[in-house]
Structure formats: structure tokens, C-alpha cells
Amino acid sequence: MLDATTRSGGTATASPRATLTELALAQELVTTAPAPVGFAARCSRVLLSPWSRLSLLLVLLAGAASTVLLFEPQRLLADGWPPQLGGAAAALVFAVAYGLCTVAFVPRPLLNLAAGALFGSQFGIGSALAGTVLGAGIAFGLGRILGQDALRPLLRGRWLKAADGQLSRHGFRSMLAARLFPGVPFWAANYCAAVSRMGYVPFLVATGLGSIPNTAAYVVAGARASTPTSPAFLIAMACIALPALVGAAIAWRKRHQLRGVR
């Protein structure tokens, strides 16, 4: 019988089984060999890296803030709303502009007062709340997509870890409290929530519900600014001042508690 070689003529001939094994090994090596990385792939990797996306976020925010400073949207209050719009259409356009302005760091109290002065209490409250939720959603989405991967590894301090844990585990009630009691800037709460692991739906629902009292108070104050002695204006001012005092008291108490823990 002939095994792996034949004895005739002193020559060795490989068996068919050995030849098939060698071919299979060669094919496996070719398949598992790393493919060369091209220039386009390297550019995509750099552009999609966490720090590149964070840089894009900073550029977008700086551009939005610069646009607000250059075009001065507050001139709409002095010149009046565009005459071709009125009623619900004007309130809808204002809500969209409201949301974009909050992303560009325009203070919400000014926008709420403007909503009341332009549309009155009913349309003003609806437009301001819609703009609040829209602006918060845009900021949250930008922060989550462009900033979370780069900023989460930097959460190393005790306070930062505590805030991140609170927002991640108790997102709805934490954001609801932040919206109800002033003290945390609107934009800061948006981006802090985006960096945490809070869900999108709890963030938007808590923002909408928690913003109702403060937004309504400012809108009513703007609508009744021409009659500062009216009961509606005085109640609105009280509703603005009371949460601010409560928030300051809570912050003062928490600060002393943290000092005692050290």
C-alpha cells in the first residue's frame, strides 16, 4: 500500500488529504489577514472620534451665540411681529424661534416676558412651553450625540459623580426639581442631563411639567406689564419670587450639609 509517498523512482508525492489541508490553512490566513486601512477610513475615524464631535458641538454653540449677538432678535419686540403673521401661526413661529434662542443661551425669562407681551396669557403660555420643550430637546440631542462620549470619562470628582448618579438613576424627579426651582441655568441642566444616562422621554416630560409654573408666571407678568398694580401681575411676581426663595434656601441647606460631611 502507498501511504504519503510512493517508493517508485525515489520521488515523494503528497497525499490528496495533505494538499487539501494546506489549501484550507492558506485560505484561512488570507481571510483573517487585516485589511489595509485607507486614507478615507482614517479620516472617518478621526472625524467621528469623541473629541472631534465635542469640538463640533462647541463650534455650533459658539456660532449660535454669535448669531444672536449679531442679528439682535430682541429688535422684534420693538419693531413688532412680522405683519403677515398673526394668531396661531405667529405663536408657532415664535415657539420655533424660542427653542433655537434657548440653544443659543438666550435667557428664558426674557423670552417668556416677550411671549406674554406679544400674544397675551393664553397663546403666550402655549408658545413659550412649546419653545421650552423644543429647545431642551435640541440641546439634549446635541449633547448626547456630540458630547457624551468625550465628557463622561471626565466625571471623576466627587460632586460630578454624585450629580451624574442622581441624574442617571432618578432622572425624572431630578429634572423636575431643577425646572421647578430656579438656580440651575436652563442650558446647564440640558447638557448635564445629556452627558448622564437619563432617558430622552423622562427628560422631555419632566422639562414640560416642571417649566409650567415659572413659564406661566413670566408670561402673565409680560402680558400685564402695562398694569403693574393689577392682581394678576402681583400674583405672577409672587410666583416668580417664591420659587427663587425656596430654591435659595434649599441650596444653602445642602451646602452646609456637604460642609458637615467633609
Side-chain angles (χ1 to χ4, degrees), residues 74-104:
Q74 65 271 16
R75 289 183 299 179
L76 290 174
L77 299 180
D79 301 336
W81 198 248
Q84 63 272 19
L85 293 177
L92 180 61
V93 173
F94 182 85
V96 175
Y98 185 114
L100 296 177
C101 286
T102 58
V103 177

Side-chain angles (χ1 to χ4, degrees), residues 130-169:
T132 297
V133 176
L134 175 63
I138 293 174
F140 186 89
L142 289 175
R144 178 61 56 89
I145 296 172
L146 300 178
Q148 187 187 48
D149 293 339
L151 294 178
R152 280 202 65 81
L154 302 179
L155 301 177
R156 299 174 182 175
R158 183 168 61 91
W159 283 23
L160 292 177
K161 287 184 178 180
D164 176 66
Q166 183 70 20
L167 289 172
S168 299
R169 291 190 299 269

